[in-house]
Amino acid sequence: MAMALKAVHVCDVPNLDQVPENAALALCSTRFRAGVNDDKICDCNIPKFLVVGHRGNGMNTLQSPDPRMKSIKENSILSFNEAAKFSIDFIEFDVQVTKDDYPVIYHDNFILHEEKGAIVENRVTELALAEFLSYGPQKHPGSEGKPLYRKTKDGRFFEWKVEKDAPLCTLEEAFHNVDQSVGFNVELKFDDFIVYKEEELTRILKAILKVVFENAKGRQILFSSFQPDAARLIRKLQSTYPVYFLTNGGSEIYTDVRRNSLEEAIKLSLENGLQGIVSEVKAVFRNPGAVGGIKESKLSLMTYGQLNNVPEVVYMQHLMGVEGVIVDLVKEISESVSDLTHAKEGEEKSLYGEEDGKKEVIAKPQFSKDELSFLLKLIPELMI
């Protein structure tokens, strides 16, 4: 049975600000809960289609008119536990290491505050832990931190105001305070414009691994990084947890050619024993044939990007062979993803729910070959 696209049409979503609030297909999901033994070589076999919460319950976009993008402070314990309330498998967050070797969770390379009417920028990795934690809301009542600001790609500054604010946190605090049922996708965060020496990368990665091995206690962990040598080294330094290489698949060009295409990502992963690739979703739709190459190479494939907040796009990726998605609209997408791993091709699956005493049949959506062909041609045009 072909499905009419009526939840969120792809053509209506050139950017996240325009995703309707009711964007959800009637699907369901089960959690991937299996633990990891620290003394066991990592097993990257993914038994189901994974949903991963981006920076917890979704990234903050302060300039967005969509209140969902300013609901809960990203990369915070509050955001992580909010995401864990839904049927997701992992939360993704960004880890950097302070100058006194403490792994902290923060996305941007620089942390901003206002001082005497001017915006002051400090590099996160050049701060001591106490300095880093002095920004934003404080854990102790009566204490006041430096108000945080954020800089957009076009150079504008916004005070970091969200509906539910929360303190900054360390990686260790996340292990101690986040629901144990949800896995951690630890993104190893580095500055794109710095050339790192191997000894510097090794020092940083060892500081992160120390916290992970001391605190994981069976929690699902996977590492990822856009930095090719960081991905290579974290795999060399440990074999317990899977490592994925992050790539935008060529939408931006870097001096390091390893970052410039899905083909280079495959090559890097195979040469260094990585378990998979996390690609910007647009690169997958521009080059759907690469999915077959990734699968033939026995690598796992996940995606990130704004289009992953559209249920039809997520479902189509499952049909293409993608094994998981990183999303901002955690509630909407987690509610719209069924246990796709066990669905047989051509099989219609139903759920029965009751509303006002009446049974409601909810059919699993399917795309016809014509619909898939149309969407595969349409999406790349929208991405130009």
Side-chain angles (χ1 to χ4, degrees):
M1 180 180 71
M3 183 193 74
L5 300 183
K6 54 187 177 184
V8 183
H9 288 290
V10 177
C11 57
D12 291 332
V13 195
N15 55 61
L16 187 58
D17 294 347
Q18 295 173 282
V19 181
E21 287 194 23
N22 62 351
L25 299 178
L27 304 174
C28 68
S29 176
T30 57
R31 237 183 240 271
F32 175 33
R33 297 181 180 273
V36 174
N37 290 324
D38 287 354
D39 58 352
K40 182 180 179 182
I41 299 298
C42 65
D43 180 2
C44 63
N45 292 325
I46 297 179
K48 65 179 288 287
F49 188 78
L50 302 182
V51 178
V52 181
H54 187 211
R55 305 183 199 173
N57 200 48
M59 67 181 289
N60 295 151
T61 306
L62 302 178
Q63 69 273 28
S64 171
D66 188 338
R68 293 173 296 177
M69 306 308 295
K70 297 172 282 190
S71 174
I72 303 175
K73 173 67 78 54
E74 69 174 43
N75 277 337
S76 67
I77 301 295
L78 181 64
S79 183
F80 300 155
N81 281 322
E82 181 66 23
K85 293 176 182 178
F86 303 102
S87 295
I88 65 168
D89 306 287
F90 286 81
I91 52 172
E92 179 271 351
F93 52 74
D94 311 275
V95 174
Q96 304 183 59
V97 174
T98 61
K99 71 176 183 181
D100 49 352
D101 288 338
Y102 285 93
V104 295
I105 298 177
Y106 197 77
H107 174 269
D108 302 351
N109 295 317
F110 292 88
I111 193 166
L112 282 60
H113 73 282
E114 186 179 22
E115 190 174 294
K116 297 179 180 179
I119 300 296
V120 178
E121 303 184 33
N122 288 302
R123 186 177 289 279
V124 171
T125 55
E126 293 177 356
L127 298 175
L129 177 62
E131 295 175 282
F132 172 77
L133 294 176
S134 71
Y135 289 82
Q138 298 296 291
K139 298 180 179 70
H140 303 293
S143 299
E144 189 173 328
K146 302 171 187 173
L148 282 167
Y149 281 75
R150 205 163 200 187
K151 188 177 182 179
T152 61
K153 288 185 177 180
D154 59 7
R156 291 179 293 163
F157 294 98
F158 289 85
E159 188 172 356
W160 202 328
K161 290 184 176 180
V162 292
E163 183 182 340
K164 297 179 182 178
D165 213 341
L168 302 178
C169 67
T170 67
L171 177 60
E172 184 174 4
E173 287 175 319
F175 276 111
H176 292 169
N177 297 295
V178 175
D179 189 321
Q180 186 69 24
S181 68
V182 68
F184 285 177
N185 173 188
V186 179
E187 181 184 335
L188 309 167
K189 184 75 176 179
F190 295 92
D191 192 323
D192 290 340
F193 300 101
I194 292 179
V195 177
Y196 294 88
K197 294 181 179 179
E198 185 159 326
E199 53 266 35
E200 174 68 2
L201 288 174
T202 300
R203 179 189 67 80
I204 293 168
L205 297 177
K206 283 184 174 180
I208 295 170
L209 284 173
K210 182 177 185 294
V211 172
V212 170
F213 280 112
E214 288 178 357
N215 296 279
K217 297 179 180 177
R219 189 189 296 269
Q220 286 282 342
I221 306 290
L222 68 85
F223 292 110
S224 61
S225 186
F226 284 103
Q227 220 289 346
D229 291 313
R232 173 179 62 82
L233 286 170
I234 197 76
R235 182 68 183 90
K236 182 179 178 181
L237 290 168
Q238 61 84 46
S239 59
T240 301
Y241 301 112
V243 180
Y244 284 57
F245 181 54
L246 274 159
T247 179
N248 60 31
S251 57
E252 294 181 49
I253 300 302
Y254 299 88
T255 53
D256 189 333
V257 297
R258 296 174 294 178
R259 300 188 60 179
N260 289 341
S261 68
L262 285 172
E263 289 73 20
E264 285 291 338
I266 294 171
K267 181 181 177 183
L268 176 81
S269 299
L270 292 177
E271 287 178 349
N272 295 282
L274 308 188
Q275 282 70 38
I277 294 167
V278 183
S279 171
E280 217 290 337
V281 61
K282 292 180 289 187
V284 171
F285 285 124
R286 285 187 178 126
N287 185 13
V291 176
I294 292 169
K295 306 299 282 187
E296 288 172 9
S297 300
K298 302 190 185 307
L299 295 169
S300 176
L301 174 63
M302 295 169 52
T303 67
Y304 72 93
Q306 291 181 346
L307 276 179
N308 280 352
N309 296 295
V310 182
E312 288 91 342
V313 172
V314 171
Y315 184 66
M316 185 165 64
Q317 289 179 75
H318 166 69
L319 297 182
M320 294 169 65
V322 174
E323 293 165 289
V325 288
I326 299 173
V327 305
D328 291 299
L329 301 185
V330 172
K331 178 180 184 294
E332 289 83 348
I333 299 301
S334 65
E335 289 176 351
S336 73
V337 173
S338 67
D339 192 358
L340 299 172
T341 304
H342 301 100
K344 295 180 181 178
E345 187 176 352
E347 177 184 350
E348 187 173 323
K349 200 174 182 180
S350 296
L351 296 173
Y352 292 88
E354 294 194 9
E355 185 177 342
D356 299 327
K358 297 180 181 179
K359 285 189 175 181
E360 180 183 7
V361 179
I362 305 171
K364 184 176 82 67
Q366 296 181 29
F367 291 106
S368 69
K369 289 183 179 179
D370 288 342
E371 286 172 326
L372 270 176
S373 177
F374 170 73
L375 284 170
L376 282 169
K377 292 176 182 177
L378 173 64
I379 292 173
E381 295 299 321
L382 294 172
M383 295 302 96
I384 294 174

